[in-house]
Amino acid sequence: MPEETVLPSSPSPLDQTLAVLAAAYPGLRQTDPSKFGASLADVRLTPQRAARFAWAGYEVQVVVGHEDHFDRESPDSTALYREVRAHATLLVHQTVAVEGIGHVEWEMTNTRSEMVFPDACAVAVADQHDPRFAAAVLSTVGKALSYARLATEHAVDQARKAADEIRWESERPAGVSPRKWLRDKRTQRDATT
C-alpha cells in the first residue's frame, strides 16, 4: 500500500502577517489593552474598539468601526465588515530646547509634543474572533508604521533642502536677487542629484 503524502498547507493570513511584521518590525507589541504574556496574534480591543501598539519609539493607535456592508459591488451581499484605521505617532523629546521666534508674553510647554503620521485604512471581517480580523488589524498597524518610515525619510530630505536654502541665503552676494539666487542654487543642486 503506497504511503500517503501530506501536502503542506499554506500559512493562514494571520501567520503570513505575523511573519512579515516580525521581519519588518521586530519587537512590535500591543500595549493597550495589555495582557501579560499574550502573543501579538491575540489582538484585543477596548470597549470603544480601540487598541494601541508600540515599536521602536513609535506608538500606533488603532480604531475599529462598526459592522457595515462595505461590499458596494454586490448590493445583495449580506456580508458584514469593519473599517480599521491606524496612525503612528512619534514623541519628540527635544522640543523643550527650542527657542521661540519673535515676541510672546511667555513660552508654554507643549504637553503632547509628537509627530502624527498619515492614517492607514483597511477593511476587516466583522467577526472579531476570526483570525482574519486580527490579520487585518495587524496588517493595518504595519501599514501605519510604513507610512511613518516614508514620512520620516521625506522629512529628513526636506530638512536637508531647508538647511541648504538657509546656507545659500547667507552666501548670497549683495545686489543679487534672493529669488534668482535661490532658483540658480536649486538648479545646481538638482543637476548634481
Side-chain angles (χ1 to χ4, degrees):
M1 185 174 213
E3 260 185 55
E4 278 189 40
T5 56
V6 179
L7 296 174
S9 63
S10 62
S12 72
L14 179 56
D15 291 337
Q16 292 174 350
T17 302
L18 289 169
V20 171
L21 286 176
Y25 306 105
L28 176 66
R29 67 191 188 290
Q30 184 169 357
T31 57
D32 185 41
S34 62
K35 181 178 177 187
F36 185 73
S39 80
L40 190 58
D42 180 23
V43 171
R44 297 162 311 280
L45 299 176
T46 66
Q48 295 78 26
R49 293 181 316 283
R52 187 174 299 136
F53 294 81
W55 176 75
Y58 291 96
E59 187 175 89
V60 181
Q61 308 284 333
V62 177
V63 177
V64 176
H66 294 285
E67 293 179 347
D68 196 358
H69 296 279
F70 281 101
D71 188 0
R72 306 292 187 237
E73 307 258 328
S74 178
D76 298 332
S77 172
T78 59
L80 295 174
Y81 299 95
R82 294 179 186 271
E83 181 180 17
V84 180
R85 288 185 166 273
H87 72 271
T89 59
L90 178 64
L91 186 62
V92 181
H93 299 285
Q94 294 84 359
T95 59
V96 174
V98 174
E99 293 291 325
I101 297 175
H103 171 76
V104 295
E105 295 305 319
W106 62 83
E107 295 288 337
M108 295 181 67
T109 303
N110 183 348
T111 58
R112 293 282 296 174
S113 55
E114 60 191 14
M115 293 170 44
V116 179
F117 299 97
D119 280 1
C121 303
V123 174
V125 296
D127 182 3
Q128 295 179 30
H129 302 292
D130 186 325
R132 294 175 301 161
F133 175 81
V137 169
L138 293 171
S139 176
T140 309
V141 167
K143 191 175 183 182
L145 287 168
S146 294
Y147 286 174
R149 278 186 177 173
L150 290 172
T152 302
E153 290 170 8
H154 179 71
V156 167
D157 187 49
Q158 286 299 112
R160 181 186 52 78
K161 288 178 180 177
D164 284 347
E165 296 202 5
I166 291 168
R167 183 175 40 82
W168 295 336
E169 178 58 28
S170 69
E171 297 169 352
R172 181 173 54 90
V176 174
S177 161
R179 289 176 130 178
K180 180 181 180 336
W181 178 256
L182 286 177
R183 185 175 57 244
D184 292 346
K185 287 296 198 176
R186 287 181 193 133
T187 303
Q188 289 172 5
R189 177 190 60 209
D190 295 344
T192 61
T193 57

